């Protein structure tokens, strides 16, 4: 394993510049080609228990939770790919060992639905032996706790929007290793020093503006999730010189 040492996480893969579909195999491959630290993606569970990679809880208007994978496969992404399953996606990501796969467990319609998805993901990761490639992120604190119950060594990060954030001390107590918050949250409070003193890391999302990226880099942010990984990689190269 030889993970890229930079701060760049491509949000839903590196899709934007080349107009690839978000969360597609093509956008994952592009994030790998760019040598991003990580490529982020989202997962949902179909009615017949396939884990699929998609941001929204519907695919082209078809609700994922009440559709079979066979039904969802009848429509295509705009580049001609089928909706990827988690298995397809991990198999592609595991062809290399430079870019981490940042797996977001989406919050379902109930806690039970979220935890059912979480269990299914853990089972798939175990089956494919994909653990070393993966970092888990979720807005569901319970999903992260469940992951850590099964795999105490897993890297997990708690996602939060403004007003939902928890202190890094709380995350630390629960062995969650990273705060992964809306970047505006870090404008107040001493997040970076407190996290680093605890041996934790901080990620900010979704940062697409050069000025915001530079301010976060100045503040010693560990990771930035962005729709503009090319821009952030350029800024970091300049920063190094
Ligand atoms: Mg996501």
């Amino acid at each position: 394993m030889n993970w890229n040492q930079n701060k760049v996480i491509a949000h839903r893969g590196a899709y934007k510049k080349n107009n690839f579909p978000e969360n597609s195999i093509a956008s994952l491959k592009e994030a790998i080609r760019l040598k991003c630290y990580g490529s982020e993606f989202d997962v949902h569970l179909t009615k017949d228990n396939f884990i699929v990679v998609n941001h929204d809880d519907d695919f082209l208007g078809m609700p994922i939770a009440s559709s079979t994978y066979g039904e969802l496969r009848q429509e295509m992404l705009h580049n001609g790919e089928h909706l990827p399953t988690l298995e397809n996606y991990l198999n592609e990501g595991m062809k290399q060992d430079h870019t981490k796969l940042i797996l977001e467990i989406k919050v379902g319609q109930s806690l039970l639905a979220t935890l059912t998805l979480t269990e299914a993901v853990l089972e798939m990761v175990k089956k494919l032996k994909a653990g070393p490639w993966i970092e888990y992120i979720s807005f569901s604190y319970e999903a992260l706790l469940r992951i850590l119950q099964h795999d105490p060594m897993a890297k997990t990060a708690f996602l939060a929007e403004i007003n939902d954030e928890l202190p890094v001390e709380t995350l630390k107590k629960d062995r969650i290793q990273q705060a992964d918050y809306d970047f505006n949250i870090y404008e107040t409070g001493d997040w970076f020093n407190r996290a680093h003193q605890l041996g934790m890391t901080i990620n900010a999302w979704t940062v697409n503006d050069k000025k915001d990226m530079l301010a976060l880099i100045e503040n010693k942010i560990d990771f930035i999730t962005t729709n503009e990984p090319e821009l952030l990689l350029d800024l970091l190269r300049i920063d190094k010189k």
Side-chain angles (χ1 to χ4, degrees):
M1 302 291 173
N2 185 21
W3 307 116
N4 295 322
Q5 299 295 310
N6 61 61
K7 300 173 188 291
V8 185
I9 296 176
H11 184 228
R12 309 179 193 172
Y15 71 90
K16 195 172 168 192
K17 190 174 176 199
N18 297 293
N19 192 31
F20 295 132
E22 297 175 5
N23 277 321
S24 61
I25 299 282
S27 69
L28 167 63
K29 281 180 165 173
E30 180 64 4
I32 292 167
R33 193 188 70 78
L34 290 170
K35 301 190 165 63
C36 296
Y37 170 79
S39 189
E40 189 262 0
F41 62 102
D42 310 283
V43 296
H44 296 268
L45 200 58
T46 67
K47 184 174 137 187
D48 54 347
N49 296 317
F50 280 81
I51 308 162
V52 294
V53 179
N54 195 60
H55 180 264
D56 295 344
D57 60 8
D58 73 278
F59 177 56
L60 303 174
M62 292 178 283
I64 293 174
S66 57
S67 305
T68 64
Y69 184 58
E71 287 164 348
L72 298 170
R73 259 184 79 88
Q74 288 169 19
E75 299 292 336
M76 286 189 173
L77 303 179
H78 70 69
N79 67 342
E81 279 181 43
H82 288 291
L83 179 67
T85 62
L86 178 63
E87 186 162 11
N88 302 147
Y89 202 90
L90 295 182
N91 279 327
E92 185 63 40
M94 290 169 70
K95 290 178 184 169
Q96 54 83 49
D97 61 0
H98 303 289
T99 295
K100 288 254 186 178
L101 310 176
I102 313 294
L103 189 161
E104 179 175 351
I105 307 264
K106 280 294 187 187
V107 176
Q109 282 163 351
S110 64
L111 178 59
L112 179 63
T114 305
L115 293 178
T116 303
L117 168 64
T118 305
E119 299 274 354
V121 166
L122 286 164
E123 208 170 296
M124 178 60 69
V125 168
K126 195 172 168 187
K127 180 180 128 182
L128 299 180
K129 300 189 171 62
W133 279 261
I134 293 178
E135 297 181 9
Y136 297 95
I137 64 176
S138 189
F139 287 98
S140 167
Y141 207 79
E142 290 83 0
L144 299 178
L145 296 179
R146 181 63 60 94
I147 290 163
L148 289 166
Q149 261 174 26
H150 284 261
D151 181 3
M153 302 304 287
K155 181 173 176 187
T156 56
F158 179 52
L159 292 166
E161 294 177 338
I162 293 173
N163 297 328
D164 292 334
E165 68 270 23
L166 292 170
V168 284
E169 291 76 8
T170 305
L171 307 186
K172 175 78 179 180
K173 174 178 69 64
D174 286 322
R175 293 180 294 119
I176 294 167
Q177 292 150 291
Q178 182 168 280
D180 197 341
Y181 297 165
D182 180 322
F183 71 100
N184 294 297
I185 288 173
Y186 304 124
E187 280 181 14
T188 52
D190 188 18
W191 291 95
F192 300 91
N193 285 330
R194 274 167 48 215
H196 293 158
Q197 276 165 14
L198 292 169
M200 298 172 65
T201 50
I202 300 269
N203 179 76
W205 55 265
T206 303
V207 186
N208 300 321
D209 183 87
K210 181 175 169 179
K211 198 161 73 29
D212 296 327
M213 288 175 178
L214 289 172
L216 289 162
I217 294 166
E218 174 80 28
N219 273 316
K220 309 249 179 309
I221 188 88
D222 299 286
F223 300 101
I224 296 176
T225 300
T226 178
N227 295 331
E228 308 282 357
E230 297 87 355
L231 170 64
L232 180 55
L233 284 162
D234 280 348
L235 291 178
L236 290 166
R237 278 183 211 112
I238 294 163
D239 194 50
K240 262 190 177 174
K241 280 175 196 162

